[in-house]
Amino acid sequence: MGLASLLILLTLAGYAVLCTVQPFARCRTCRGTGRTDTRGAVEVCRRCHGARHRLRLARRIHNHAERIHTTGTRPGPEHNPN
């Protein structure tokens, strides 16, 4: 039980480091080409919008949490030091 918990924690820590170092991954839909072949026509990928990369899930969660924290701690107009 302890070994399994340790492996899970190490895996999560490794993924967190990966998301910090390399926040973008290749798009899975277009496989990093930016285009998809649909019924013989080549179209811009709907998932990545032709950018070829997507933001990783953990990085998206981190950015959202950071945005919530920044919004909640930003001084409002009632805290004007003048």
Side-chain angles (χ1 to χ4, degrees):
M1 183 70 167
L3 182 61
S5 298
L6 180 64
L7 287 174
I8 290 172
L9 286 175
L10 286 175
T11 303
L12 289 175
Y15 185 63
V17 169
L18 176 68
C19 288
T20 302
V21 174
Q22 192 175 18
F24 293 96
R26 277 186 355 167
C27 178
R28 285 181 281 165
T29 303
C30 64
R31 294 184 206 97
T33 62
R35 302 182 236 103
T36 55
D37 297 328
T38 314
R39 290 182 239 134
V42 177
E43 298 177 356
V44 175
C45 178
R46 294 187 324 180
R47 183 172 183 181
C48 68
H49 305 287
R52 300 180 180 181
H53 291 88
R54 61 171 178 81
L55 198 58
R56 293 182 192 271
L57 177 64
R59 188 58 183 210
R60 205 172 316 139
I61 292 169
H62 170 76
N63 290 349
H64 183 69
E66 188 174 318
R67 193 175 310 117
I68 288 173
H69 174 74
T70 303
T71 304
T73 57
R74 182 179 302 144
E78 65 276 357
H79 293 95
N80 192 359
N82 294 332

